[in-house]
Amino acid sequence: MAHLPVSPEKLIEQFGPHLNYPPREGFAGRDEPDKAVKTHCCFCGMQCGIKLLVKNDKVVGFDPWEEFPFNQGRLCPKGVQRYMQNNHPDRILQPLQRNEGVGFTPVSWDEAMDKTVAEIKRIQEKYGKNAFSVLSGVSLTNEKSYLMGKFARVALKTANLDYNGRLCMVSAGAGNKKAFGLDRTSNTYADLEKAEVIIVAGANISETFPTLTHWVWRARDHGAKLIVVDPRVIPLARTADLHLPVRPGTDSALYGAILRYLADHDMLDHDFIDNHTTDFDKALAAVKDYTLEWAEEITGIEKAKIELAAQWWGKAKTSFLLHARGIEHHSKGVDNVLGCINIVLATGRIGKPYCGYGTITGQGNGQGGREHGHKCDQLPGNRDITNPEHRKYIAGVWGIDEKDMPGKGYTAYELIEAIHRGEVKGLLSICFNPLVSLPNNNYVREALEKLEFYVCIDFFMNETARHADIILAGSLQEEEEGTVTTAEGRVVRIRKAVNPPGHARSDTSIILELAKRLGAEDKFTYRNSEELFNELRVASKGGTADYYGITYQKIEDTMGVFWPCPTLDHPGTPRLWEDKKFATPDGKAHFNSVTYRDPGEITDEEYPIILTTGRVVSQYLSGTQTRRIGKLVDLYPEPKLEIHPELARKYGIKQNELVQVSTRRGTDEFPANIVETIRTDTVFLPYHWPGKKSANQFTPATLDPVSKIPEFKVCACNLKPLGVISPPSTASGAYASI
């Protein structure tokens, strides 16, 4: 493979993204649907309940599902518009093959499968099994996540499988497993309602998880104090009791100083520490020099505010700490997570009503998708692929010899580096758009151009798929049965509402056909998604993410079951650790020593400003779906550079003026949005756009040494005003940026 077969403009003209709007009078059949299918939104880890209205095998609208306990009928702007991706004019309706100078042309399924399997075999015979790789995604159901892990290891027999959760949840997962031995938020979000103090750290809830805001407001109604930690005055911070505007990359210093303050003022739960935890003395020794004055200098937060936050947290009887990518997208993301956990453990507020801790999953199945085996280091049930006992158990479930199971492979960005080195020659991707999602994406583009063969399974042609040799037309969430696991740990049902249109096929049927053609048909004999789930249940049995006691019928009867659920008569576990027995080998929660260190890239004279990235309310991840929905694009048509008035004056930047942003990896221009809701040393770009509008052309590929998550949240940059006012956003066409 070399460059694109034709220009990006021609590919966009043919395959989009194009903006899709509902008819002014609504879709035909909206008021008299054939059926209303209770299912869940495909965006974000909340997985809000929704009813999809179907007429003549088309989704024509939605109704609120008021009985579903988490969102109770509420939906965010994305949820309201999620039905618009069904029957979209950009939908890939048949397999496509790269055609140099022409673009992509339709081929039959037999031709596409023959070409794909022949190239897989050629590459593996010439270079070895691990020369062919897989990149998967956590907007897939649990069943498909499990299937991708088994397919890679049993049919392809490659170690090189990873997933886009590597850009999302892995720092939280690693921290949770170190501290608790298990990776899940500790409580349902309903427990927020009577928490006396809530800390929300690096989580722009109002824009990225809007329906979760309801539970925070319920707590406020009961008198809770809300502390928001973020370099920006995000919407949730505007009415918070305390906003801590942390300098990006310094979060662990803040939590270390709070831990020391709690200890110095004896705001500790000594009984819990003494009887149910280990290594508190080591964690405390690591922060012995973390005075409030030191923390103020490092974090840029006034020491009086840090002290007040520590006092509120220390004196509370009930509390909840939530965090998301803002503290996890760092080269020390695991340290940041452990710093948060340390202050929760120090006050003993876990395993009790209205006392909780948890990470908020960002992707549609960010929780379940990181539990069942399409990570390079993981097997189903959140088992460790390097653990001999874990390998033996899963090999038995799969009916293979343990010695034939591949070992640990490369993480997502390491795979890109391996392609550059020539170790990896082929790639299959599903539900992943690395050309937009990964950092330093010009380097990613160069890797795609070095592959000898690339096959993509998707329902839209995303920016990465434009580099494919073969595109296999896959399915939307509502076109296949399955389950997902919400950010609370609640396993819920995804119900098939319609069939894939045209000649598109379900993702599962595509993978099963590939497995058959690769000679592994006897290991992939599932007749439906429920059979897949039942094998997943067995594979997870005895693991830390134990789904064995969960069945489709049980989910139907209870509107979701919380794992762990080890037996068929077990009710599930909405609140973890009530028995104070943790999933660690010694049964205790573990404090971890966290020593502050600088981020991977720091500012200097050439690049004196911190660039940080994040989301906006109307867009989702790389925008493959949401940049095609007209009303969502209208809400936020293009990325703008948020900059404080003081910094704008320093550089002579005017509102909406085009500003050249430069980092050590790239240069491009964005319209300025001058706001007072950001630190004076920091600028912000949302990351949902490709090409010249991509924030990830700037971000570094510095990885956390434990989780291997990239450092999206800290990047040194420079600014230069260009003296040109940007045209109106509605005319920018940024949704299809090249």
Side-chain angles (χ1 to χ4, degrees), residues 368-508:
R370 71 183 194 261
E371 296 165 354
H372 297 300
H374 60 160
K375 293 173 63 180
C376 71
D377 54 351
Q378 183 208 69
L379 292 171
N382 220 334
R383 289 180 165 91
D384 183 353
I385 199 168
T386 64
N387 183 306
E389 292 184 5
H390 294 183
R391 292 172 59 85
K392 183 178 179 180
Y393 178 77
I394 296 300
V397 175
W398 289 348
I400 64 173
D401 194 309
E402 185 271 328
K403 72 177 186 300
D404 294 330
M405 182 185 291
K408 180 180 177 180
Y410 290 124
T411 63
Y413 198 83
E414 290 174 332
L415 269 176
I416 300 301
E417 295 173 326
I419 294 170
H420 273 277
R421 292 193 302 268
E423 292 180 39
V424 171
K425 301 289 187 178
L427 172 66
L428 180 153
S429 74
I430 179 171
C431 190
F432 197 167
N433 189 9
L435 193 53
V436 178
S437 298
L438 285 174
N440 193 12
N441 55 29
N442 289 316
Y443 183 77
V444 177
R445 181 180 294 104
E446 293 168 4
L448 295 171
E449 293 169 354
K450 290 183 177 182
L451 287 168
E452 292 189 9
F453 181 75
Y454 170 36
V455 55
C456 173
I457 303 171
D458 218 323
F459 42 81
F460 294 132
M461 184 180 285
N462 63 41
E463 287 73 21
T464 309
R466 296 172 189 169
H467 291 263
D469 295 283
I470 295 288
I471 300 174
L472 303 176
S475 53
L476 291 168
Q477 186 198 59
E478 58 262 34
E479 293 166 358
E480 194 167 359
E481 294 287 331
T483 63
V484 296
T485 307
T486 74
E488 299 176 287
R490 188 196 313 253
V491 183
V492 297
R493 287 277 283 111
I494 301 299
R495 296 170 178 85
K496 182 177 179 179
V498 294
N499 292 302
H503 297 288
R505 293 183 177 178
S506 71
D507 294 336
T508 299

Side-chain angles (χ1 to χ4, degrees), residues 118-140:
E119 285 297 301
I120 291 171
K121 289 181 176 179
R122 178 188 67 81
I123 287 171
Q124 292 191 318
E125 288 170 3
K126 185 175 181 180
Y127 303 108
K129 294 295 186 184
N130 292 339
F132 201 89
S133 61
V134 177
L135 285 174
S136 185
V138 291
S139 288
L140 298 175

Side-chain angles (χ1 to χ4, degrees), residues 48-276:
C48 293
I50 189 173
K51 296 179 185 177
L52 295 181
L53 305 180
V54 177
K55 186 74 173 182
N56 298 326
D57 204 29
K58 294 182 179 181
V59 177
V60 294
F62 73 93
D63 274 344
W65 182 8
E66 296 179 354
E67 295 79 17
F68 187 69
F70 167 70
N71 63 305
Q72 301 171 343
R74 301 174 189 85
L75 293 168
C76 79
K78 292 187 291 292
V80 167
Q81 292 294 313
R82 60 91 68 219
Y83 76 99
M84 287 297 299
Q85 63 186 336
N86 194 267
N87 298 289
H88 194 290
D90 288 349
R91 188 68 187 274
I92 300 174
L93 300 175
Q94 63 275 312
L96 301 170
Q97 179 171 282
R98 177 189 181 90
N99 192 337
E100 296 295 341
V102 175
F104 288 86
T105 52
V107 293
S108 70
W109 275 103
D110 274 341
E111 289 176 286
M113 289 290 185
D114 286 346
K115 173 71 171 177
T116 298
V117 172
E119 285 297 301
I120 291 171
K121 289 181 176 179
R122 178 188 67 81
I123 287 171
Q124 292 191 318
E125 288 170 3
K126 185 175 181 180
Y127 303 108
K129 294 295 186 184
N130 292 339
F132 201 89
S133 61
V134 177
L135 285 174
S136 185
V138 291
S139 288
L140 298 175
T141 60
N142 290 319
E143 291 81 355
K144 289 191 277 189
S145 298
Y146 173 80
L147 178 62
M148 291 308 300
K150 183 178 178 181
F151 171 76
R153 281 141 183 160
V154 176
L156 289 175
K157 300 180 181 178
T158 181
N160 285 324
L161 158 73
D162 208 39
Y163 76 141
N164 61 4
R166 188 66 58 185
L167 318 177
C168 185
M169 303 305 308
V170 286
S171 289
N176 275 259
K177 289 170 79 172
K178 279 177 174 285
F180 306 118
L182 185 151
D183 174 22
R184 204 204 88 183
T185 192
S186 65
N187 304 54
T188 72
Y189 290 140
D191 262 4
L192 282 163
E193 185 172 354
K194 294 184 182 178
E196 293 180 10
V197 174
I198 299 172
I199 293 179
V200 177
N204 185 2
I205 288 176
S206 300
E207 293 196 72
T208 55
F209 318 104
T211 52
L212 177 54
T213 310
H214 163 76
W215 294 103
V216 177
W217 291 156
R218 291 290 295 267
R220 300 298 304 279
D221 290 344
H222 285 93
K225 292 187 182 298
L226 173 62
I227 302 169
V228 173
V229 185
D230 202 286
R232 303 161 64 216
V233 185
I234 55 174
L236 193 69
R238 294 172 192 167
T239 58
D241 299 279
L242 184 61
H243 174 229
L244 304 180
V246 64
R247 180 179 291 118
T250 66
D251 304 86
S252 61
L254 171 64
Y255 300 111
I258 290 176
L259 179 63
R260 175 183 162 168
Y261 187 94
L262 294 172
D264 286 350
H265 294 80
D266 198 21
M267 296 179 174
L268 305 173
D269 186 332
H270 293 285
D271 178 72
F272 180 80
I273 292 171
D274 293 343
N275 295 305
H276 304 294

Side-chain angles (χ1 to χ4, degrees), residues 14-55:
Q14 186 175 4
F15 298 104
H18 298 107
L19 299 183
N20 192 27
Y21 291 90
R24 186 181 298 271
E25 66 281 4
F27 287 106
R30 165 66 179 83
D31 296 325
E32 296 180 351
D34 297 330
K35 56 183 176 179
V37 180
K38 293 178 180 178
T39 186
H40 295 269
C41 181
C42 56
F43 301 130
C44 106
M46 299 304 105
Q47 287 297 287
C48 293
I50 189 173
K51 296 179 185 177
L52 295 181
L53 305 180
V54 177
K55 186 74 173 182

Side-chain angles (χ1 to χ4, degrees), residues 349-368:
R349 288 191 222 113
I350 195 161
K352 303 176 182 178
Y354 318 121
C355 294
Y357 155 80
T359 181
I360 309 171
T361 50
Q363 297 194 60
N365 193 24
Q367 182 66 51

